[in-house]
Amino acid sequence: LNYGRYIVTNRGMHAMYEKYRTASFGRCPNVFCQGQPVLPVGLSDLPRNYTVNVFCPRCHGLFFPKSTRQANIDGAYFGTTFPHLCLMAHPEIVPVKPSQQYIPRIYGFKIHQSSLYYRNREEENQRKMEGGSTASRQVTRKKRSTRGK
């Protein structure tokens, strides 16, 4: 884990900045990010828990690296801190959010917000915000059952 300590030093941060500029870690697969270079990130600071992922500073998405060589690296080598610290240390590389957003359509018509397609996603996001407790799920189920009456 010495590498994780090295990359957060000034010297290591500069070396990683150069790799970011040359897109050594790959590019974001999101279409609206237009090939934004990504930064490596670990999901845990503990070794042998997760492999490395890549973080897109434009859409804030986490993705699996395309390179199989990178995909086998332990995420603890980069830690959970590196990409965010790098962006704070180099504010000039912080990109603007994508101006476009994908809108799902069926035969050219937008899917209505009250459809099951959005309701499931809405409940999932709500659970994440509330911490995912079973009590919050029961409350949302009760709300849903009282809507139809």
Side-chain angles (χ1 to χ4, degrees):
L1 298 180
N2 289 333
Y3 186 73
R5 291 183 191 148
Y6 165 74
I7 62 173
V8 294
T9 64
N10 286 338
R11 201 165 155 189
M13 195 71 72
H14 182 71
M16 296 299 276
Y17 171 75
E18 292 301 320
K19 286 185 174 196
Y20 171 79
R21 284 189 35 212
T22 60
S24 297
F25 304 112
R27 297 187 178 274
C28 181
N30 188 338
V31 173
F32 296 123
C33 286
Q34 301 167 340
Q36 172 70 39
V38 293
L39 291 164
V41 64
L43 296 180
S44 173
D45 291 325
L46 301 173
R48 294 179 296 281
N49 280 344
Y50 299 98
T51 57
V52 71
N53 288 315
V54 290
F55 171 77
C56 175
R58 179 171 267 172
C59 68
H60 292 207
L62 281 178
F63 304 98
F64 292 110
K66 286 190 177 182
S67 165
T68 55
R69 186 173 149 251
Q70 288 177 353
N72 292 325
I73 297 173
D74 192 344
Y77 291 145
F78 297 98
T80 57
T81 303
F82 169 69
H84 315 294
L85 185 62
C86 183
L87 292 170
M88 289 178 74
H90 299 283
E92 71 278 4
I93 64 171
V94 176
V96 295
K97 290 270 189 197
S99 58
Q100 295 174 305
Q101 185 178 1
Y102 178 72
I103 300 171
R105 298 173 184 265
I106 298 175
Y107 298 118
F109 296 99
K110 293 180 186 177
I111 299 173
H112 197 270
Q113 295 291 328
S114 66
S115 72
L116 188 61
Y117 179 84
Y118 283 110
R119 196 176 317 146
N120 287 342
R121 295 178 80 199
E122 194 175 283
E123 287 175 5
E124 183 179 308
N125 288 339
Q126 199 173 43
R127 266 188 256 136
K128 286 180 185 176
M129 297 282 259
E130 294 173 356
S133 68
T134 55
S136 65
R137 280 185 233 144
Q138 290 172 349
V139 170
T140 54
R141 284 186 190 134
K142 284 180 185 176
K143 285 181 186 176
R144 197 175 344 139
S145 64
T146 58
R147 282 186 206 162
K149 293 180 181 177

